[in-house]
């Protein structure tokens, strides 16, 4: 028989334990997008600083990619003596009867005699650089999703870029130069996609579209700056050193102030580090995350034992899922056609009858209005309509360039058609990064972007071969590519105001529920 004291304890015990137990049970689990919207801020001071510092890497990619335009240019030449046949090429003249105006060290072409029968070697260097980019995009796309992380991968590619970029300036012969450019391309292929994902993942869903489009201002600005640097440093060896040093400065000065992505921390099971970073974001933005609020993956079912587990994904998972498999195939095909048009039309802009440095500068400047207009329309009309519309906008002007002649006033019409074609396709090219990033969950996002980037690099390799078909025919090819790419985009889903999923399971569950809701 229980004593009165025991009865009193039994009566009091629930009253004393219930509040504590209730507080322990009231843990609010949120995905990253929800926490950014409710407590941290979608694009405050922290995101602005992180975004600008990370996107400086895009200027580095522009330096390492576009430096070939100046280093491999064909310099001006002149006859030696008074006997200079009119209308003749130096290929038809004796070796001692002509010389390079700025000396042999001005470019690789003049130093190693990449002219006449050896001219194909210039195209070979360009093709192998983009082949390196294609391989590097796949490798670093996978590594940034797995053990290295976004920041770790960006650090590695910048180290490789700095080493091989500077080493290229000391190439003793053409084949060493080719090998070093291939290795530089391997690392350059990982710079843009890693920097893009790292810059945009901490941004809230309603601001992500504009932020993503803004990353490409840094690439275009890098091209414009490079044209000025190349104008000052006319020796190709000096140019490679000067254009590679910023990668070293970025490693020493910028990388230490860049944070890892909270999404990567979360999918790797490092919840405490993810929460610490989210608290830092909130504090810097003048916000506060209440006690009892924590992060969770979009496939968690409030099982405490699963909160710190590592969630991984690979391209095999993407291909095994019918939902993501068709998305990846479409993303690859569209990236391929867009890249052919973008790089092909960019090469045609070189026919503006001005000097090379001004041509490159104008090419970079014409892209910037496309970024601004697309960024304004992106969150109003959505990703899918703009992906279709910008490609077909470019297609219309490519058809115009194909139909009109190349003489008299029609020559100007063709030139304007080419510039407007670049205007439309530049918007598509950059929009695809945002679109593809939102089509795939965190665990495979960089791997999917890497595949799309590889397809784009393949298009970049083929673009010069399209340009050499003549003056009007390339416009016809570009028009077909724009028409096909826009048509393929019809089969992609809209991602405007949709969450960025963390796991394959979470995305499939959400898509399945949405499908059932639409049926009901």
């Amino acid at each position: 028989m229980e004593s009165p004291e025991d009865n009193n304890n039994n009566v009091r015990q629930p009253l004393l334990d219930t509040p504590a137990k209730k507080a322990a049970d009231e843990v609010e689990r949120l995905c990253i997008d929800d926490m950014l919207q409710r407590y941290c801020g979608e694009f405050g001071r922290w995101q602005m600083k992180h975004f600008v510092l990370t996107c400086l890497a895009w200027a580095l990619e522009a330096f390492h990619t576009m430096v070939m335009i100046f280093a491999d240019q064909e310099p001006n030449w002149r006859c030696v003596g008074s006997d200079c046949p009119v209308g003749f090429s130096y290929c038809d003249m004796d070796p001692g009867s002509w010389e390079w105006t700025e000396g042999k060290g001005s470019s690789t072409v003049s130093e190693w005699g990449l002219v006449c029968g050896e001219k194909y070697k210039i195209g070979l260097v360009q093709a192998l650089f983009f082949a390196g980019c294609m391989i590097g995009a796949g490798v670093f796309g996978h590594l940034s999703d797995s053990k290295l992380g976004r920041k770790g991968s960006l650090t590695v590619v910048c180290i490789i870029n700095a080493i091989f970029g500077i080493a290229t300036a000391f190439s003793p012969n053409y084949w060493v130069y080719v090998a070093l450019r291939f290795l530089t391309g391997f690392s350059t292929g990982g710079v843009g996609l890693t920097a893009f994902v790292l810059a945009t993942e901490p941004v809230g869903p309603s601001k992500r579209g504009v932020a993503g489009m803004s990353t490409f201002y840094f690439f275009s600005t890098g091209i414009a700056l490079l044209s000025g640097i190349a104008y000052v440093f006319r020796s190709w060896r000096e140019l490679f050193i000067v254009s590679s040093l910023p990668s070293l400065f970025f490693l020493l000065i910028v990388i230490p102030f860049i944070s890892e992505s909270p999404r990567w921390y979360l999918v790797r099971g490092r919840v405490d580090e993810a929460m610490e970073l989210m608290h830092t974001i909130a504090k810097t933005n003048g916000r506060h995350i209440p006690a009892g609020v924590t992060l969770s993956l979009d496939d968690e079912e409030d099982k405490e034992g699963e909160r710190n587990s590592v969630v991984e994904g690979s391209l095999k998972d993407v291909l095994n899922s019918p939902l993501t498999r068709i998305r990846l195939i479409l993303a690859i095909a569209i990236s391929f056609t867009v890249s052919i048009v973008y790089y092909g039309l960019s090469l045609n802009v070189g026919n503006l009858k001005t000097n090379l440095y001004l041509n490159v500068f104008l090419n970079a400047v014409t892209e910037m209005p496309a970024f601004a207009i697309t960024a304004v329309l992106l969150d109003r009309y959505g990703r899918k309509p703009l992906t279709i519309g910008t490609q077909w906008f470019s297609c219309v002007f490519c058809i115009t360039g194909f139909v009109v002649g190349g003489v008299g006033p029609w020559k100007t019409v063709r030139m304007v058609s080419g510039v407007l074609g670049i205007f439309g396709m530049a918007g598509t090219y950059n929009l695809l990064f945002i679109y593809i990033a939102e089509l795939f969950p965190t665990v495979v996002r960089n791997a999917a972007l890497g595949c799309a980037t590889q397809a784009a690099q393949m298009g970049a390799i083929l673009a010069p071969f399209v340009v050499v078909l003549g003056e009007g025919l390339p416009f016809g090819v570009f028009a077909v590519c724009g028409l096909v790419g826009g048509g393929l985009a019809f089969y992609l889903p809209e991602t405007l105001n949709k969450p960025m999923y963390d796991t394959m399971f979470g995305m499939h569950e959400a898509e399945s529920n949405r499908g059932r809701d639409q049926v009901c």
Side-chain angles (χ1 to χ4, degrees):
M1 183 173 180
E2 294 182 345
S3 65
E5 184 177 350
D6 292 333
N7 289 333
N8 290 337
N9 287 338
N10 290 337
V11 172
R12 276 195 222 97
Q13 194 65 35
L15 295 176
L16 293 173
D17 290 348
T18 298
K21 185 178 180 182
K22 183 178 180 182
D25 291 339
E26 288 181 350
V27 176
E28 185 180 12
R29 302 191 189 283
L30 299 174
C31 67
I32 288 183
D33 279 349
D34 289 338
M35 189 173 287
L36 288 170
Q37 288 178 311
R38 295 174 61 177
Y39 298 118
C40 299
E42 295 191 71
F43 196 80
R45 288 174 54 197
W46 190 94
Q47 284 99 335
M48 175 63 77
K49 174 189 172 184
H50 178 81
F51 180 83
V52 171
L53 291 178
T54 306
C55 287
L56 290 174
W58 277 93
L60 305 180
E61 179 176 359
F63 286 176
H64 289 288
T65 302
M66 299 302 180
V67 68
M68 68 177 69
I69 297 176
F70 305 102
D72 300 336
Q73 66 171 301
E74 183 177 315
N76 294 324
W77 62 279
R78 63 192 173 198
C79 293
V80 177
S82 57
D83 186 17
C84 189
V86 179
F88 270 58
S89 166
Y90 50 70
C91 294
D92 302 319
M93 300 171 61
D94 295 330
S97 61
W98 64 278
E99 64 181 6
W100 299 110
T101 305
E102 298 182 17
K104 287 188 175 182
S106 59
S107 80
T108 59
V109 172
S110 56
E111 180 156 338
W112 292 318
L114 307 181
V115 295
C116 305
E118 299 290 306
K119 196 170 184 177
Y120 74 94
K121 291 183 177 180
I122 303 173
L124 179 62
V125 174
Q126 183 178 9
L128 288 177
F129 173 83
F130 284 117
C133 289
M134 183 175 64
I135 297 171
V139 171
F140 288 106
H142 172 71
L143 290 176
S144 63
D145 280 336
S146 53
K147 295 182 179 179
L148 274 184
R150 280 72 161 119
K151 181 180 178 180
S153 296
L154 184 60
T155 302
V156 170
V157 294
C158 287
I159 291 173
I160 299 174
N161 263 347
I163 293 173
F164 290 117
I166 294 174
T168 303
F170 301 96
S171 302
N173 56 58
Y174 170 77
W175 293 110
V176 173
Y177 175 70
V178 169
L180 290 172
R181 285 300 288 162
F182 173 82
L183 292 172
T184 305
F186 174 76
S187 56
T188 302
V191 173
L193 69 93
T194 304
F196 178 85
V197 173
L198 183 57
T200 56
E201 281 193 336
V203 178
S206 69
K207 308 294 182 184
R208 194 177 297 128
V210 174
M213 288 301 299
S214 300
T215 60
F216 301 99
Y217 285 108
F218 292 84
F219 185 81
S220 296
T221 301
I223 298 175
L225 289 174
L226 181 64
S227 63
I229 294 171
Y231 183 79
V232 175
F233 296 93
R234 297 298 182 97
S235 166
W236 72 271
R237 295 184 185 272
E238 292 178 356
L239 181 58
F240 267 107
I241 294 175
V242 174
S243 62
S244 299
L245 283 175
S247 293
L248 185 61
F249 298 149
F250 185 82
L251 280 168
L252 299 176
I253 301 173
V254 179
I255 284 286
F257 298 97
I258 294 177
S259 301
E260 181 55 87
S261 168
R263 297 180 188 274
W264 182 80
Y265 278 141
L266 188 59
V267 298
R268 298 298 296 179
R270 297 160 66 173
V271 181
D272 292 339
E273 291 170 269
M275 277 304 302
E276 182 181 352
L277 182 54
M278 296 302 284
H279 278 289
T280 301
I281 295 174
K283 183 178 179 180
T284 306
N285 292 345
R287 309 284 287 272
H288 173 68
I289 300 176
V293 177
T294 187
L295 285 170
S296 70
L297 293 170
D298 48 28
D299 68 342
E300 285 184 356
E301 298 177 357
D302 296 333
K303 295 180 181 178
E304 188 66 27
E306 296 180 0
R307 289 188 66 237
N308 294 318
S309 61
V310 177
V311 181
E312 294 183 334
S314 65
L315 280 178
K316 182 180 179 181
D317 299 315
V318 176
L319 294 174
N320 285 339
S321 164
L323 178 67
T324 52
R325 181 170 61 241
I326 187 62
R327 291 184 180 185
L328 183 63
I329 293 173
L330 290 171
I332 288 173
I334 295 171
S335 297
F336 176 75
T337 57
V338 166
S339 184
I340 291 177
V341 182
Y342 175 76
Y343 283 104
L345 288 175
S346 296
L347 292 175
N348 275 351
V349 174
N351 297 323
L352 293 176
K353 305 303 180 183
T354 56
N355 67 68
L356 178 64
Y357 307 97
L358 183 59
N359 281 348
V360 175
F361 179 81
L362 290 176
N363 187 27
V365 171
T366 55
E367 295 180 1
M368 294 185 182
F371 304 156
I373 294 174
T374 308
V376 171
L377 301 177
L378 191 64
D379 290 329
R380 179 175 297 181
Y381 297 105
R383 283 63 164 149
K384 182 174 179 177
L386 279 182
T387 303
I388 298 169
T390 50
Q391 289 186 84
W392 285 358
F393 177 91
S394 179
C395 174
V396 169
F397 287 100
C398 287
I399 292 174
T400 303
F402 174 69
V403 173
V404 301
V407 294
W410 297 112
K411 189 174 184 179
T412 304
V413 173
R414 175 173 285 174
M415 183 192 72
V416 172
S417 297
V419 173
L420 291 174
I422 291 176
F423 177 86
M425 202 55 70
T428 313
Y429 195 86
N430 303 322
L431 169 61
L432 280 178
F433 269 84
I434 302 168
Y435 203 179
I436 295 171
E438 294 177 342
L439 285 170
F440 298 91
T442 302
V443 291
V444 294
R445 183 168 298 127
N446 258 17
L449 271 173
C451 286
T453 303
Q454 286 179 302
Q457 299 299 346
M458 182 61 72
I461 293 172
L462 295 179
F465 298 100
V466 177
V467 172
V468 299
L469 293 176
E471 294 183 6
L473 187 57
F475 279 97
V477 176
F478 300 150
V480 172
C481 289
L483 183 65
V484 172
L488 292 175
F490 268 103
Y491 297 96
L492 288 173
E494 179 57 72
T495 60
L496 177 63
N497 295 327
K498 303 290 176 60
M500 288 184 76
Y501 300 106
D502 297 316
T503 63
M504 295 287 289
F505 178 82
M507 185 184 70
H508 280 95
E509 283 292 298
E511 295 293 335
S512 298
N513 292 336
R514 185 176 297 115
R516 286 194 292 267
D517 292 341
Q518 289 175 351
V519 170
C520 295

